[in-house]
Amino acid sequence: MSEFNLIREYFLWGKPIDTVRIGVGDDAAVLKIPLNNELIISVDTFNEGIHFPVETPAHAVGYKALAVNLSDLAAMGAEPAWFTLALSMPVADRSWVSEFTRGMRELAQKHNISLIGGDTTRGALSITIQVMGLAAPGVALLRRGAQAGDLVCVSGTLGDAAAGLAVVQNRLELTASAAEYCVQRLYYPTPRLALGVILRGRATACMDISDGLLADLGHLLQASGVGACLYHALLPISSALKTVAFDQRLDFALRGGDDYEVLFTLPPALLAEVQDEASKQQIGVTVIGHIDAQQADLRLDYAFPDKRRGYEHFS
Ligand code: ADP
Ligand code: MG
């Protein structure tokens, strides 16, 4: 299969949309940026064996590579618009590429984001996606801005993906249904785009959780120059994860990666309306602690045997 045929067959999707004057097929894309918007851009690389286990099905690789990028747009309160895809793979295996694009395309269509270009090369399996989103000037949600007295909130449940990874790597045994649930959360994280929109003008700080709650909350506190108290009994834990021993499930929830839930801070007076609007989108929002003035200091009412926080590359 030639590179040209591969691109024509798998990366020329759907009908042209009006913000894309030139998409896949020319030397570069030409976009019409809607007036009175800020352009919000993020890029993430997804390497086999590092960011996803070798056994991950192609459909899930395609889905998740886009999902983790959409999660960054969600955390900014941006609306998805366009993305580019740089794909490196050892061989052009038609059935793998077909499943990969099917997974990616399902999610792209759901969130109305257009593939506008990319690059296809030979090499170790690696996917780099750059997403571009839009938001009215000044409304993008940032990591800085949390204030003493704000609540610390998260969407969904925590730790399921980390348990799923442990199942895939044969480090954890669960009942069949709990295992299936957690592996599904690992392979198919849900980018919380509707929540990002709800949080505009309300959350004082916001980010997505990719490297584990403690590590990522640490970044938010650093950026905001505040501290936080977390209460372990408040952490949202799925019924699947509740089948795991107490210490281990807390470890997954606090330090496991790959949740792609939204972590944000909120003035207490806004909690009820945010929870109400989020529940209309089938998104749970849980208060797990509060912000105080103790600069970048994170306190948890639970002691771990060691101090390692989240996943850091090259550490
Ligand atoms: P060039 O040599 O000019 O970079 P390429 O042969 O790399 O051109 O790409 C041809 C066209 O196909 C370009 O419009 C490029 O954006 C698009 N393209 C290549 N690979 C991909 C991909 N994996 N996904 C989407 N578009 C792609
Ligand atoms: Mg190229």
Side-chain angles (χ1 to χ4, degrees), residues 130-153:
Q130 182 180 48
V131 283
M132 286 152 273
L134 298 166
V139 312
L141 300 166
L142 308 179
R143 294 179 179 191
R144 71 177 83 119
Q147 303 278 329
D150 287 348
L151 303 172
V152 178
C153 305

Side-chain angles (χ1 to χ4, degrees), residues 2 21 124 130 145 165 204 222 266 268 278 283:
S2 78
R21 191 153 77 76
Q130 182 180 48
L165 181 63
T204 49
Q222 194 80 47
L266 197 66
I283 302 172

Side-chain angles (χ1 to χ4, degrees), residues 175-246:
T175 62
S177 67
E180 195 197 320
Y181 180 84
C182 291
V183 172
Q184 189 75 8
R185 295 310 297 155
L186 172 69
Y187 287 161
Y188 295 98
T190 311
R192 304 294 189 184
L193 288 147
L195 180 59
V197 172
I198 292 166
L199 294 177
R200 287 176 182 174
R202 291 178 169 139
T204 49
C206 186
M207 67 183 299
D208 69 334
I209 306 177
S210 51
D211 295 336
L213 173 66
L214 293 185
D216 287 326
L217 180 55
H219 299 312
L220 187 150
L221 297 178
Q222 194 80 47
S224 296
V226 291
C229 265
L230 289 190
Y231 303 98
H232 75 276
L234 298 181
L235 296 171
I237 306 290
S238 68
S239 44
L241 197 61
K242 280 185 184 149
T243 66
V244 174
F246 188 80

Side-chain angles (χ1 to χ4, degrees), residues 11 30 36 50 83 98 102 113 131 146 152 195 199 221 272 290 293:
F11 300 114
V30 183
N36 203 31
I50 308 275
F83 73 104
S98 157
R102 198 169 63 81
I113 187 167
V131 283
V152 178
L195 180 59
L199 294 177
L221 297 178
H290 64 262

Side-chain angles (χ1 to χ4, degrees), residues 21-35:
R21 191 153 77 76
I22 301 293
V24 171
D26 217 303
D27 292 316
V30 183
L31 306 173
K32 292 185 260 189
I33 300 177
L35 223 60

